[in-house]
């Protein structure tokens, strides 16, 4: 079980709800993934033609915990206002905080992110900040009251996987007791498995499933990848070594003990 702000969730896979070909396919993808948390872009969904109930009802019917997000917000003010809308709509203190700082890379604005995180945690929100693998930024977010970090794997929507493995490993190692979710940029289940093998607590993704030829099958693929990676992490993997070593070193001795 993973735990975020005192809430235990059985599945370590979190899925986004955008860009699916149809509501039915979105629902199938969630069922097959077994995801326990759905993230929803409050600003985009509230502003589009789907505004007004039907989409929110669909999300509520999924029977998963909702993590509303501030996707599309480029300023502290927009993000804080959107978080307040989300709290009313979904009656939750949880908010995935995105403050985008760069239009091309969708890289978070580190300064705005920390400022918004502080305002929201002071106001009783439980903030899941979408951040980079930067250790100093991670530290500032924790000081601002965040109890979870969500470093990117790669820029949103790219499917590039874990582009800075060293940085992610360093962040994980610096704050071993903080729940961390790799969020964004994952394209394949093997990349999700790798994040889990590195000791991250969960992964969050959207595009790779929604844009797959068969989103439901891809959702199940990611669920299996996440399970495999977590099992491997818990199984205490062997240390890689440079020197070859025979797997059957002693004639007539099948076991070490
Ligand atoms: C849905 C959502 O919250 C995205 O902003 C998130 O970061 C997922 O990114 P990908 O679409 O790259 O998986």
């Amino acid at each position: 079980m993973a735990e975020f702000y005192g809430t235990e969730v059985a599945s370590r896979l979190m899925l986004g709800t955008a860009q699916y070909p149809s509501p039915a396919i979105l629902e199938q993808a969630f069922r097959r993934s077994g995801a326990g948390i759905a993230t929803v872009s409050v600003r985009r969904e509230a502003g589009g033609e789907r505004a007004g109930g039907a989409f929110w009802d669909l999300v509520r019917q999924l029977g998963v915990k909702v993590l509303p997000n501030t996707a599309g917000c480029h300023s502290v003010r927009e993000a804080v206002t959107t978080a307040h809308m989300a709290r009313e709509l979904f009656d939750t203190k949880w908010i995935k905080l995105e403050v985008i700082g760069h239009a091309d890379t969708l890289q978070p604005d580190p300064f705005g992110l920390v400022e918004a995180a502080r305002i929201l945690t002071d106001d009783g929100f439980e903030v899941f900040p979408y951040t980079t693998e930067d250790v100093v930024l991670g530290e500032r977010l924790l000081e601002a009251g965040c109890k979870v970090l969500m470093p990117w794997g790669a820029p949103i929507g790219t499917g590039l996987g874990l582009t800075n493995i060293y940085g992610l490993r360093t962040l994980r190692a610096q704050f071993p007791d903080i729940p961390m979710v790799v969020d964004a940029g994952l394209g394949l289940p093997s990349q999700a498995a790798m994040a889990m093998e590195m000791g991250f607590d969960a992964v969050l993704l959207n595009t790779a499933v929604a844009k797959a030829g068969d989103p439901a099958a891809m959702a199940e693929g990611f669920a299996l990848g996440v399970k495999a990676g977590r099992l491997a992490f818990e199984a205490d993997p062997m240390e890689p070594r440079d020197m070859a070593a025979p797997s059957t070193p002693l004639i007539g001795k099948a076991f070490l003990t």
Side-chain angles (χ1 to χ4, degrees):
M1 289 256 182
E3 193 179 316
F4 305 103
Y5 289 102
T7 299
E8 287 192 337
V9 280
S11 166
R12 293 174 182 273
L13 175 61
M14 306 181 183
L15 273 188
T17 51
Q19 304 187 78
Y20 289 82
S22 70
I25 294 177
L26 183 158
E27 214 173 334
Q28 284 160 21
F30 267 83
R31 303 264 173 261
R32 266 178 85 175
S33 73
I37 294 177
T39 187
V40 181
S41 168
V42 173
R43 192 162 173 269
R44 294 225 169 92
E45 300 301 345
E49 76 278 5
R50 288 185 289 191
F55 184 71
W56 308 130
D57 290 345
L58 172 65
V59 169
R60 289 190 192 99
Q61 276 159 26
L62 293 172
V64 297
K65 180 137 178 85
V66 176
L67 173 60
N69 69 61
T70 65
C73 293
H74 290 255
S75 70
V76 173
R77 204 166 142 205
E78 267 182 314
V80 169
T81 308
T82 304
H84 280 273
M85 275 172 62
R87 185 156 67 179
E88 270 183 42
L89 267 168
F90 289 104
D91 192 23
T92 177
K93 291 192 268 185
W94 282 16
I95 189 75
K96 175 165 119 71
L97 180 62
E98 288 189 23
V99 182
I100 300 299
H102 190 255
D104 290 342
T105 61
L106 300 181
Q107 187 161 336
D109 167 1
F111 310 101
L113 187 63
V114 173
E115 191 185 334
R118 187 167 293 118
I119 293 170
L120 290 171
T121 51
D122 285 351
D123 199 9
F125 282 89
E126 294 174 341
V127 178
F128 293 66
Y130 163 66
T131 180
T132 64
E133 65 282 344
D134 189 296
V135 171
V136 179
L137 176 52
E139 195 156 34
R140 297 289 178 273
L141 288 166
L142 298 176
E143 285 165 6
C146 299
K147 303 220 175 327
V148 175
L149 295 177
M150 297 186 101
W152 65 355
I156 297 170
T158 60
L160 289 171
L162 309 181
T163 52
N164 183 355
I165 290 171
Y166 168 78
L168 285 168
R169 271 195 212 291
T170 307
L171 183 72
R172 178 65 286 181
Q174 285 298 314
F175 309 108
D177 300 328
I178 299 297
M180 283 190 205
V181 183
V182 170
D183 169 17
L186 299 180
L188 287 168
S190 54
Q191 298 158 356
M194 189 170 187
M196 299 306 296
E197 285 164 12
M198 288 161 67
F200 286 93
D201 297 274
V203 299
L204 187 154
L205 57 118
N206 190 152
T207 309
V209 166
K211 291 292 191 187
D214 183 344
M218 187 59 87
E220 188 177 343
F222 268 100
L224 293 171
V226 166
K227 264 191 202 139
R230 182 67 193 182
L231 267 178
F233 173 72
E234 287 174 356
D236 189 14
M238 66 174 281
E239 282 298 324
R241 43 181 286 162
D242 289 331
M243 289 293 291
S247 7
T248 48
L250 298 174
I251 293 168
K253 196 163 186 332
F255 299 100
L256 290 179
T257 53

